[in-house]
Amino acid sequence: MEDDLNEAWDRLNAANISEKDIVVGISASGSTPFVLEGLKQCRAHHIATGCIVSNPDSIIAGQADYPVEVLTGPEFVTGSTRMKCGTAQKMLLDMISTTVMIQLGRIEGNNMINVKLINDKIMDRGVKMLMKKAEIDNYNEAKSLLLQYGTVKNAMEKLVKNHD
């Protein structure tokens, strides 16, 4: 698939990509055709682009509005990019996604207040967070509020609105 020149753009279109988005291409070598063609198509359609690559002055970095070159040097095991390159790229993606979550208002302090309640662990974390923020002593009461409003953020907004 990484050699398919149309696949990236097809997938981006399927995800309803638009000029409101930023597409970040990831390639250890900086020359993967899938990534390169995807960025080229984005630029042709006025969609902002970034990249994370591990070679300096790569062709992919040349197609990105916001290139990031993480020069990790040769891998201990030749061809095993998951070791240094993959780890460095994952760390950058974690930083990018955390920054985006903060800017979108989904994090308050160091709490994810707008997380989807998809499992028991996240539900429990949300209930305890709501109990602390709203000074609620009863676990079931906090859980009921969380289920009613869907997120800690929404529950807190409703509690503040009802308090005023």
Side-chain angles (χ1 to χ4, degrees), residues 128-148:
K128 290 175 180 173
M129 194 182 312
L130 183 59
M131 288 175 72
K132 183 176 180 179
K133 288 185 167 301
E135 299 178 353
I136 299 171
D137 294 329
N138 185 298
Y139 185 93
N140 289 327
E141 177 186 346
K143 185 174 182 178
S144 176
L145 287 167
L146 192 55
L147 288 169
Q148 182 179 356

PDB file of all heavy atoms in Angstrom, residues 128-148:
ATOM      1  N   LYS A 128     -15.190   9.980  39.483  1.00  0.00           N
ATOM      2  CA  LYS A 128     -14.318  10.486  40.553  1.00  0.00           C
ATOM      3  C   LYS A 128     -13.878  11.927  40.281  1.00  0.00           C
ATOM      4  O   LYS A 128     -13.783  12.744  41.201  1.00  0.00           O
ATOM      5  CB  LYS A 128     -13.113   9.564  40.727  1.00  0.00           C
ATOM      6  CG  LYS A 128     -13.510   8.228  41.336  1.00  0.00           C
ATOM      7  CD  LYS A 128     -12.347   7.266  41.402  1.00  0.00           C
ATOM      8  CE  LYS A 128     -12.793   5.936  42.008  1.00  0.00           C
ATOM      9  NZ  LYS A 128     -11.742   4.915  41.935  1.00  0.00           N
ATOM     10  N   MET A 129     -13.644  12.245  39.030  1.00  0.00           N
ATOM     11  CA  MET A 129     -13.273  13.600  38.662  1.00  0.00           C
ATOM     12  C   MET A 129     -14.423  14.562  38.950  1.00  0.00           C
ATOM     13  O   MET A 129     -14.231  15.632  39.521  1.00  0.00           O
ATOM     14  CB  MET A 129     -12.925  13.638  37.163  1.00  0.00           C
ATOM     15  CG  MET A 129     -12.222  14.880  36.707  1.00  0.00           C
ATOM     16  SD  MET A 129     -11.903  14.873  34.909  1.00  0.00           S
ATOM     17  CE  MET A 129     -11.193  13.266  34.624  1.00  0.00           C
ATOM     18  N   LEU A 130     -15.637  14.152  38.569  1.00  0.00           N
ATOM     19  CA  LEU A 130     -16.816  14.980  38.819  1.00  0.00           C
ATOM     20  C   LEU A 130     -17.066  15.135  40.313  1.00  0.00           C
ATOM     21  O   LEU A 130     -17.387  16.234  40.785  1.00  0.00           O
ATOM     22  CB  LEU A 130     -18.041  14.381  38.128  1.00  0.00           C
ATOM     23  CG  LEU A 130     -19.341  15.176  38.248  1.00  0.00           C
ATOM     24  CD1 LEU A 130     -19.172  16.588  37.677  1.00  0.00           C
ATOM     25  CD2 LEU A 130     -20.464  14.442  37.534  1.00  0.00           C
ATOM     26  N   MET A 131     -16.888  14.072  41.064  1.00  0.00           N
ATOM     27  CA  MET A 131     -17.067  14.141  42.515  1.00  0.00           C
ATOM     28  C   MET A 131     -16.113  15.185  43.116  1.00  0.00           C
ATOM     29  O   MET A 131     -16.521  16.005  43.940  1.00  0.00           O
ATOM     30  CB  MET A 131     -16.814  12.773  43.157  1.00  0.00           C
ATOM     31  CG  MET A 131     -17.902  11.755  42.882  1.00  0.00           C
ATOM     32  SD  MET A 131     -17.499  10.111  43.536  1.00  0.00           S
ATOM     33  CE  MET A 131     -17.693  10.429  45.301  1.00  0.00           C
ATOM     34  N   LYS A 132     -14.884  15.161  42.666  1.00  0.00           N
ATOM     35  CA  LYS A 132     -13.889  16.102  43.201  1.00  0.00           C
ATOM     36  C   LYS A 132     -14.196  17.531  42.772  1.00  0.00           C
ATOM     37  O   LYS A 132     -14.209  18.441  43.601  1.00  0.00           O
ATOM     38  CB  LYS A 132     -12.494  15.694  42.728  1.00  0.00           C
ATOM     39  CG  LYS A 132     -11.387  16.552  43.293  1.00  0.00           C
ATOM     40  CD  LYS A 132     -10.023  16.031  42.869  1.00  0.00           C
ATOM     41  CE  LYS A 132      -8.927  16.908  43.454  1.00  0.00           C
ATOM     42  NZ  LYS A 132      -7.598  16.429  43.078  1.00  0.00           N
ATOM     43  N   LYS A 133     -14.447  17.741  41.483  1.00  0.00           N
ATOM     44  CA  LYS A 133     -14.681  19.089  40.965  1.00  0.00           C
ATOM     45  C   LYS A 133     -15.966  19.712  41.512  1.00  0.00           C
ATOM     46  O   LYS A 133     -16.005  20.900  41.790  1.00  0.00           O
ATOM     47  CB  LYS A 133     -14.728  19.074  39.430  1.00  0.00           C
ATOM     48  CG  LYS A 133     -13.386  18.865  38.791  1.00  0.00           C
ATOM     49  CD  LYS A 133     -13.508  18.975  37.289  1.00  0.00           C
ATOM     50  CE  LYS A 133     -12.169  19.085  36.636  1.00  0.00           C
ATOM     51  NZ  LYS A 133     -11.365  20.212  37.044  1.00  0.00           N
ATOM     52  N   ALA A 134     -17.007  18.894  41.640  1.00  0.00           N
ATOM     53  CA  ALA A 134     -18.309  19.415  42.069  1.00  0.00           C
ATOM     54  C   ALA A 134     -18.551  19.219  43.570  1.00  0.00           C
ATOM     55  O   ALA A 134     -19.630  19.547  44.068  1.00  0.00           O
ATOM     56  CB  ALA A 134     -19.428  18.743  41.272  1.00  0.00           C
ATOM     57  N   GLU A 135     -17.547  18.652  44.245  1.00  0.00           N
ATOM     58  CA  GLU A 135     -17.656  18.383  45.679  1.00  0.00           C
ATOM     59  C   GLU A 135     -18.904  17.557  46.009  1.00  0.00           C
ATOM     60  O   GLU A 135     -19.685  17.884  46.895  1.00  0.00           O
ATOM     61  CB  GLU A 135     -17.620  19.689  46.478  1.00  0.00           C
ATOM     62  CG  GLU A 135     -16.319  20.460  46.291  1.00  0.00           C
ATOM     63  CD  GLU A 135     -16.292  21.780  47.049  1.00  0.00           C
ATOM     64  OE1 GLU A 135     -17.316  22.189  47.631  1.00  0.00           O
ATOM     65  OE2 GLU A 135     -15.218  22.404  47.038  1.00  0.00           O
ATOM     66  N   ILE A 136     -19.051  16.464  45.257  1.00  0.00           N
ATOM     67  CA  ILE A 136     -20.147  15.522  45.460  1.00  0.00           C
ATOM     68  C   ILE A 136     -19.599  14.336  46.250  1.00  0.00           C
ATOM     69  O   ILE A 136     -18.577  13.758  45.884  1.00  0.00           O
ATOM     70  CB  ILE A 136     -20.728  15.042  44.104  1.00  0.00           C
ATOM     71  CG1 ILE A 136     -21.294  16.226  43.319  1.00  0.00           C
ATOM     72  CG2 ILE A 136     -21.780  13.965  44.321  1.00  0.00           C
ATOM     73  CD1 ILE A 136     -21.694  15.884  41.888  1.00  0.00           C
ATOM     74  N   ASP A 137     -20.274  13.977  47.332  1.00  0.00           N
ATOM     75  CA  ASP A 137     -19.816  12.865  48.176  1.00  0.00           C
ATOM     76  C   ASP A 137     -20.355  11.517  47.718  1.00  0.00           C
ATOM     77  O   ASP A 137     -19.763  10.481  48.010  1.00  0.00           O
ATOM     78  CB  ASP A 137     -20.239  13.099  49.637  1.00  0.00           C
ATOM     79  CG  ASP A 137     -19.538  14.296  50.256  1.00  0.00           C
ATOM     80  OD1 ASP A 137     -18.385  14.582  49.861  1.00  0.00           O
ATOM     81  OD2 ASP A 137     -20.140  14.948  51.129  1.00  0.00           O
ATOM     82  N   ASN A 138     -21.473  11.518  47.014  1.00  0.00           N
ATOM     83  CA  ASN A 138     -22.146  10.282  46.651  1.00  0.00           C
ATOM     84  C   ASN A 138     -21.732   9.833  45.244  1.00  0.00           C
ATOM     85  O   ASN A 138     -22.016  10.510  44.254  1.00  0.00           O
ATOM     86  CB  ASN A 138     -23.666  10.504  46.732  1.00  0.00           C
ATOM     87  CG  ASN A 138     -24.445   9.242  46.490  1.00  0.00           C
ATOM     88  OD1 ASN A 138     -24.359   8.656  45.414  1.00  0.00           O
ATOM     89  ND2 ASN A 138     -25.221   8.837  47.487  1.00  0.00           N
ATOM     90  N   TYR A 139     -21.081   8.661  45.157  1.00  0.00           N
ATOM     91  CA  TYR A 139     -20.596   8.132  43.885  1.00  0.00           C
ATOM     92  C   TYR A 139     -21.741   7.956  42.886  1.00  0.00           C
ATOM     93  O   TYR A 139     -21.638   8.346  41.726  1.00  0.00           O
ATOM     94  CB  TYR A 139     -19.885   6.793  44.123  1.00  0.00           C
ATOM     95  CG  TYR A 139     -19.238   6.201  42.888  1.00  0.00           C
ATOM     96  CD1 TYR A 139     -17.905   6.447  42.600  1.00  0.00           C
ATOM     97  CD2 TYR A 139     -19.961   5.379  42.028  1.00  0.00           C
ATOM     98  CE1 TYR A 139     -17.300   5.901  41.475  1.00  0.00           C
ATOM     99  CE2 TYR A 139     -19.368   4.833  40.898  1.00  0.00           C
ATOM    100  CZ  TYR A 139     -18.036   5.097  40.621  1.00  0.00           C
ATOM    101  OH  TYR A 139     -17.454   4.564  39.508  1.00  0.00           O
ATOM    102  N   ASN A 140     -22.848   7.355  43.331  1.00  0.00           N
ATOM    103  CA  ASN A 140     -23.969   7.089  42.427  1.00  0.00           C
ATOM    104  C   ASN A 140     -24.617   8.373  41.914  1.00  0.00           C
ATOM    105  O   ASN A 140     -25.064   8.436  40.773  1.00  0.00           O
ATOM    106  CB  ASN A 140     -25.001   6.190  43.108  1.00  0.00           C
ATOM    107  CG  ASN A 140     -24.480   4.773  43.264  1.00  0.00           C
ATOM    108  OD1 ASN A 140     -23.718   4.292  42.433  1.00  0.00           O
ATOM    109  ND2 ASN A 140     -24.869   4.113  44.348  1.00  0.00           N
ATOM    110  N   GLU A 141     -24.660   9.396  42.748  1.00  0.00           N
ATOM    111  CA  GLU A 141     -25.202  10.693  42.315  1.00  0.00           C
ATOM    112  C   GLU A 141     -24.325  11.282  41.209  1.00  0.00           C
ATOM    113  O   GLU A 141     -24.827  11.755  40.185  1.00  0.00           O
ATOM    114  CB  GLU A 141     -25.267  11.658  43.501  1.00  0.00           C
ATOM    115  CG  GLU A 141     -25.752  13.048  43.136  1.00  0.00           C
ATOM    116  CD  GLU A 141     -25.662  14.021  44.313  1.00  0.00           C
ATOM    117  OE1 GLU A 141     -25.472  13.591  45.457  1.00  0.00           O
ATOM    118  OE2 GLU A 141     -25.777  15.230  44.048  1.00  0.00           O
ATOM    119  N   ALA A 142     -23.008  11.238  41.419  1.00  0.00           N
ATOM    120  CA  ALA A 142     -22.083  11.759  40.409  1.00  0.00           C
ATOM    121  C   ALA A 142     -22.169  10.945  39.119  1.00  0.00           C
ATOM    122  O   ALA A 142     -22.167  11.501  38.019  1.00  0.00           O
ATOM    123  CB  ALA A 142     -20.662  11.764  40.956  1.00  0.00           C
ATOM    124  N   LYS A 143     -22.275   9.637  39.252  1.00  0.00           N
ATOM    125  CA  LYS A 143     -22.382   8.777  38.072  1.00  0.00           C
ATOM    126  C   LYS A 143     -23.664   9.078  37.304  1.00  0.00           C
ATOM    127  O   LYS A 143     -23.659   9.138  36.071  1.00  0.00           O
ATOM    128  CB  LYS A 143     -22.343   7.299  38.477  1.00  0.00           C
ATOM    129  CG  LYS A 143     -22.340   6.353  37.294  1.00  0.00           C
ATOM    130  CD  LYS A 143     -22.153   4.920  37.724  1.00  0.00           C
ATOM    131  CE  LYS A 143     -22.108   3.998  36.516  1.00  0.00           C
ATOM    132  NZ  LYS A 143     -21.874   2.602  36.908  1.00  0.00           N
ATOM    133  N   SER A 144     -24.737   9.288  38.011  1.00  0.00           N
ATOM    134  CA  SER A 144     -26.010   9.621  37.370  1.00  0.00           C
ATOM    135  C   SER A 144     -25.895  10.933  36.584  1.00  0.00           C
ATOM    136  O   SER A 144     -26.373  11.034  35.453  1.00  0.00           O
ATOM    137  CB  SER A 144     -27.109   9.719  38.425  1.00  0.00           C
ATOM    138  OG  SER A 144     -28.316  10.116  37.833  1.00  0.00           O
ATOM    139  N   LEU A 145     -25.270  11.935  37.184  1.00  0.00           N
ATOM    140  CA  LEU A 145     -25.065  13.218  36.497  1.00  0.00           C
ATOM    141  C   LEU A 145     -24.192  13.037  35.259  1.00  0.00           C
ATOM    142  O   LEU A 145     -24.474  13.605  34.196  1.00  0.00           O
ATOM    143  CB  LEU A 145     -24.430  14.237  37.439  1.00  0.00           C
ATOM    144  CG  LEU A 145     -25.322  14.816  38.521  1.00  0.00           C
ATOM    145  CD1 LEU A 145     -24.497  15.564  39.557  1.00  0.00           C
ATOM    146  CD2 LEU A 145     -26.374  15.732  37.897  1.00  0.00           C
ATOM    147  N   LEU A 146     -23.148  12.255  35.402  1.00  0.00           N
ATOM    148  CA  LEU A 146     -22.246  12.016  34.284  1.00  0.00           C
ATOM    149  C   LEU A 146     -22.964  11.304  33.145  1.00  0.00           C
ATOM    150  O   LEU A 146     -22.824  11.677  31.975  1.00  0.00           O
ATOM    151  CB  LEU A 146     -21.041  11.208  34.758  1.00  0.00           C
ATOM    152  CG  LEU A 146     -19.859  11.095  33.815  1.00  0.00           C
ATOM    153  CD1 LEU A 146     -19.349  12.464  33.391  1.00  0.00           C
ATOM    154  CD2 LEU A 146     -18.756  10.301  34.460  1.00  0.00           C
ATOM    155  N   LEU A 147     -23.758  10.313  33.472  1.00  0.00           N
ATOM    156  CA  LEU A 147     -24.527   9.614  32.440  1.00  0.00           C
ATOM    157  C   LEU A 147     -25.557  10.534  31.791  1.00  0.00           C
ATOM    158  O   LEU A 147     -25.788  10.474  30.585  1.00  0.00           O
ATOM    159  CB  LEU A 147     -25.216   8.385  33.037  1.00  0.00           C
ATOM    160  CG  LEU A 147     -24.295   7.223  33.372  1.00  0.00           C
ATOM    161  CD1 LEU A 147     -25.043   6.171  34.199  1.00  0.00           C
ATOM    162  CD2 LEU A 147     -23.731   6.605  32.100  1.00  0.00           C
ATOM    163  N   GLN A 148     -26.159  11.405  32.577  1.00  0.00           N
ATOM    164  CA  GLN A 148     -27.171  12.325  32.059  1.00  0.00           C
ATOM    165  C   GLN A 148     -26.564  13.347  31.099  1.00  0.00           C
ATOM    166  O   GLN A 148     -27.151  13.644  30.059  1.00  0.00           O
ATOM    167  CB  GLN A 148     -27.846  13.049  33.222  1.00  0.00           C
ATOM    168  CG  GLN A 148     -28.944  14.004  32.792  1.00  0.00           C
ATOM    169  CD  GLN A 148     -29.612  14.680  33.991  1.00  0.00           C
ATOM    170  OE1 GLN A 148     -29.319  14.387  35.138  1.00  0.00           O
ATOM    171  NE2 GLN A 148     -30.514  15.581  33.704  1.00  0.00           N
TER     172      GLN A 148
END
